[in-house]
């Protein structure tokens, strides 16, 4: 029988320092093949849905694939919009080794990738984190950023004040110095690190509110139609991505200003491979504004899944 690793097992296996360092090694080595995910429309008129397939493999070692269903109208049925499962296979025989809770795996590895980027791009003395968004990914992002920087305040903003208050209370119970933020511009202006995880189609983090020395972590917008930042921020910042191929195909924060002619892809400063391998430098001084834009990479899933199964 194929073993199944549930939500609790995933979180128990993937403590942030361990996962961050495993991702650092994998991005530096660049020995995992990870094509850009494919997407298929699989829903019906009354229940639209998309199936995403995200494979990755290290030849002769391990193969894995994450299958993600996104059904936006699930809220009407009292269900979450995203459901996912990860399947890990032996790289020598192709035999299945494990199935893993895909949502837990995604939240954990996405937050760890943001924290990994932050080790290169945020100021080492960063003390205030602004958390924009109150979804399932936000708590993981808060814990990951706190794990690598001396954060003394976590400002939580959401479109729903009640949800922001509830998330801040939860984070305090989990040991983080969190408080709700009623005013988004004020929270962004006060922050040393801004971590944004939403499905917004309109900019939330504006360049005019970001002070010099800030690092902005843009995680949530994962299609060309979505964006969390405005052109002013992208123009003034030194911009890095998780992978060139994924970000330049799917990140509306970048593809929209490219299409408008207000920014160009040759201004990209680097990706996680460049940073982790030392091929390109990260933050250059204390006044620089940096942006990390991620859309998710299947390399991250494979690394995290392998750690879960290894125990």
């Amino acid at each position: 029988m194929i073993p199944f690793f549930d939500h609790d097992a995933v979180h128990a296996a993937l403590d942030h320092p361990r996962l961050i360092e495993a991702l650092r090694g994998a991005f530096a080595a660049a020995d995992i093949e990870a094509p850009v995910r494919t997407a298929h429309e699989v829903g019906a008129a009354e229940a639209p849905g998309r199936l995403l397939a995200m494979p990755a493999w290290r030849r002769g070692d391990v193969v894995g694939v994450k299958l993600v269903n996104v059904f936006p109208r699930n809220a009407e049925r009292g269900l979450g919009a995203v459901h996912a499962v990860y399947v890990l296979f032996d790289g020598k025989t192709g035999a299945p080794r494990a199935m893993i809770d895909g949502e837990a795996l995604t939240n954990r590895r996405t937050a760890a990738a943001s924290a990994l980027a932050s080790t290169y791009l945020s100021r080492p003395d960063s003390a205030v984190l602004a958390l924009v968004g109150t979804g399932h990914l936000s708590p993981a992002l808060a814990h990951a950023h706190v794990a690598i920087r001396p954060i003394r305040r976590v400002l939580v903003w959401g479109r729903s004040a009640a949800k922001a208050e509830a998330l801040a209370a939860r984070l305090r119970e989990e040991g983080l110095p969190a408080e709700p933020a009623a005013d988004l511009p004020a929270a962004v202006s006060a922050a040393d690190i801004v971590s944004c995880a939403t499905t917004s189609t309109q900019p939330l983090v504006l360049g005019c509110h970001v002070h010099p020395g800030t690092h902005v972590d843009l995680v949530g917008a994962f299609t060309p139609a979505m964006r969390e930042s405005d052109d002013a921020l992208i123009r003034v910042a030194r911009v890095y991505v998780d992978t060139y191929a994924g970000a330049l195909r799917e990140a509306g924060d970048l593809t929209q200003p490219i299409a408008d002619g207000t920014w160009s892809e040759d201004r990209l400063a680097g990706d996680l491979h460049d940073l982790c391998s030392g091929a390109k430098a990260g933050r250059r001084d204390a006044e620089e504004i940096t942006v990390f834009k991620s859309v998710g990479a299947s390399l991250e899933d494979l690394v995290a899944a392998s750690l879960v199964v290894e125990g």
Side-chain angles (χ1 to χ4, degrees), residues 19 45 61 76 88 90 124 134 139 159 167 177 206-207 295:
L19 180 53
D61 179 21
E76 300 169 11
L88 192 71
D90 184 275
T134 57
R159 294 187 189 278
L167 177 56
L206 309 183
V295 294

Side-chain angles (χ1 to χ4, degrees), residues 113-124 126 128-130 145 148-149 188 191-196 205 210-219 233 237-241 272 275 282-283 285-294:
S114 284
L116 171 62
S118 186
T119 64
Y120 298 100
L121 303 179
S122 68
R123 299 192 329 270
S126 295
V128 180
L129 168 68
H145 281 292
I148 57 93
R149 289 294 185 247
V188 169
D192 301 307
I193 299 173
V194 179
S195 188
C196 192
V205 182
V210 177
H211 67 70
T214 302
H215 172 56
V216 181
D217 174 39
L218 300 174
V219 180
L233 175 58
R238 190 168 172 83
V239 180
Y240 296 79
V241 295
L272 279 177
L275 290 170
R283 171 174 290 276
D285 58 61
E287 296 299 303
E288 189 170 47
I289 293 173
T290 56
V291 164
F292 174 64
K293 176 58 203 164
S294 70

Side-chain angles (χ1 to χ4, degrees), residues 128-132 155-157 181-194 209:
V128 180
L129 168 68
L131 197 62
V132 181
L155 307 176
V156 181
W157 180 89
D183 186 280
L184 177 58
V188 169
S189 296
D192 301 307
I193 299 173
V194 179
H209 299 144

Side-chain angles (χ1 to χ4, degrees), residues 19 26 41 43 71 76 97 106 133 154 167 184 229 242 249 261 268 304:
L19 180 53
E41 297 294 335
F71 280 65
E76 300 169 11
R97 294 180 59 191
T106 300
V154 179
L167 177 56
L184 177 58
S229 63
D242 50 357
R249 173 175 165 177
L268 269 178

Side-chain angles (χ1 to χ4, degrees), residues 41-296:
E41 297 294 335
V42 296
E46 70 280 7
R50 302 177 80 208
L51 168 66
L52 311 178
M54 300 177 65
W57 57 90
R58 182 186 286 115
R59 292 182 183 273
D61 179 21
V62 66
V63 178
V65 62
K66 186 169 69 179
L67 301 174
V68 185
N69 283 318
V70 183
F71 280 65
R73 294 180 61 179
N74 272 359
E76 300 169 11
R77 299 174 171 82
L79 299 170
V82 180
H83 295 275
V85 65
Y86 196 87
V87 186
L88 192 71
F89 301 89
D90 184 275
K92 295 184 176 67
T93 67
R97 294 180 59 191
M99 295 181 66
I100 302 169
D101 181 316
E103 181 182 4
L105 190 78
T106 300
N107 289 346
R108 207 72 175 178
R109 63 77 156 159
T110 302
S114 284
L116 171 62
S118 186
T119 64
Y120 298 100
L121 303 179
S122 68
R123 299 192 329 270
D125 63 348
S126 295
V128 180
L129 168 68
L131 197 62
V132 181
T134 57
H136 291 176
L137 179 56
S138 293
L141 285 165
H143 282 282
H145 281 292
V146 168
I148 57 93
R149 289 294 185 247
I151 302 297
R152 295 195 302 269
R153 295 178 72 199
V154 179
L155 307 176
V156 181
W157 180 89
R159 294 187 189 278
S160 165
K163 289 183 178 179
E165 290 175 3
L167 177 56
R170 170 186 167 181
L171 293 175
R172 286 196 301 273
E173 290 176 358
E174 295 170 352
L176 301 190
E179 60 191 82
D183 186 280
L184 177 58
V188 169
S189 296
D192 301 307
I193 299 173
V194 179
S195 188
C196 192
T198 74
T199 55
S200 180
T201 57
Q202 299 297 323
L204 296 171
V205 182
L206 309 183
C208 62
H209 299 144
V210 177
H211 67 70
T214 302
H215 172 56
V216 181
D217 174 39
L218 300 174
V219 180
F222 57 89
T223 75
M226 299 175 181
R227 68 182 308 180
E228 298 176 308
S229 63
D230 67 349
D231 289 356
L233 175 58
I234 298 302
R235 283 199 303 267
V236 74
R238 190 168 172 83
V239 180
Y240 296 79
V241 295
D242 50 357
T243 66
Y244 290 109
L248 291 173
R249 173 175 165 177
E250 299 180 324
D253 287 282
L254 304 183
T255 62
Q256 290 185 40
I258 288 173
D260 293 341
T262 58
W263 194 75
S264 58
E265 64 181 76
D266 61 358
R267 294 185 60 186
L268 269 178
D271 68 358
L272 279 177
H273 167 67
D274 293 327
L275 290 170
C276 295
S277 66
K280 294 186 178 179
R283 171 174 290 276
R284 298 174 297 184
D285 58 61
E287 296 299 303
E288 189 170 47
I289 293 173
T290 56
V291 164
F292 174 64
K293 176 58 203 164
S294 70
V295 294

